[in-house]
């Protein structure tokens, strides 16, 4: 086991005056939100779709290594959670496009904040 060099918490009275832990219902809400965006390819899909609507084939080309089945499953989950919109067009051959919903767009600042947090603490983060 390696020695971790984790910095101790600095207590600033102004920063956390009156801080309390979240209510149990808030923990459940947080878990629900995390489950909605975690999955083998979900964050990658959301980050690609921020550029605009894409067809399934284009999404698959931009995600080397994803199987058709896995991409279908992840897109279905994202759509069921209201993060992605699936639009099917009555054409021959059928055309289906995926794009971020407003909920997906609103998720981007949170992902940026998580990225910034990761960059700040990446030296102490481990992958299990």
């Amino acid at each position: 086991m390696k020695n971790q060099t984790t910095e101790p918490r600095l207590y600033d009275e102004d920063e956390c005056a009156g801080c309390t832990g979240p209510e149990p219902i808030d923990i459940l809400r947080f878990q629900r939100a995390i489950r909605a965006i975690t999955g083998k390819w979900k964050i990658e899909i959301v980050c690609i779709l921020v550029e605009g609507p894409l067809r399934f084939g284009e999404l698959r080309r931009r995600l080397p290594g994803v199987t058709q089945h896995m991409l279908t499953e992840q897109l279905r989950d994202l759509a069921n959670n209201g993060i992605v919109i699936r639009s099917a067009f009555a054409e021959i051959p059928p055309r289906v496009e995926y794009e971020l919903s407003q909920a997906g767009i609103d998720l981007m600042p949170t992902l940026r904040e998580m990225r910034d947090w990761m960059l700040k603490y990446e030296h102490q983060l481990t992958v299990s």
Side-chain angles (χ1 to χ4, degrees):
M1 180 186 245
K2 69 177 187 172
N3 290 334
Q4 286 189 333
T5 54
T6 303
E7 297 176 25
R9 178 178 170 185
L10 301 175
Y11 291 88
D12 181 356
E13 289 181 23
D14 294 334
E15 181 181 321
C16 199
C19 286
T20 61
E23 296 293 324
I25 189 70
D26 293 324
I27 292 171
L28 292 174
R29 288 177 178 136
F30 182 72
Q31 289 172 339
R32 220 168 125 203
I34 291 296
R35 277 190 221 105
I37 62 169
T38 56
K40 182 115 174 123
W41 298 94
K42 287 181 183 176
I43 291 176
E44 291 91 332
I45 292 167
V46 168
C47 290
I48 290 171
L49 289 178
V50 76
E51 298 170 14
L54 289 174
R55 294 177 74 172
F56 184 90
E58 180 59 27
L59 261 173
R60 189 160 178 217
R61 279 189 288 283
R62 291 203 184 182
L63 294 166
V66 70
T67 64
Q68 181 173 336
H69 174 76
M70 179 59 75
L71 182 56
T72 300
E73 186 177 293
Q74 299 299 289
L75 285 166
R76 187 177 295 130
D77 285 351
L78 287 166
N80 288 339
N81 284 300
I83 297 168
V84 166
I85 298 169
R86 179 185 188 273
S87 300
F89 300 90
E91 300 175 355
I92 297 183
R95 177 171 58 106
V96 178
E97 287 185 348
Y98 297 90
E99 64 182 310
L100 291 182
S101 66
Q102 189 60 50
I105 296 291
D106 290 347
L107 183 59
M108 295 313 295
T110 302
L111 293 178
R112 280 189 213 100
E113 288 292 325
M114 287 179 70
R115 180 205 57 206
D116 294 346
W117 177 86
M118 187 280 307
L119 290 172
K120 183 176 180 179
Y121 295 106
E122 70 181 327
H123 65 280
Q124 69 191 44
L125 299 177
T126 61
V127 178
S128 303

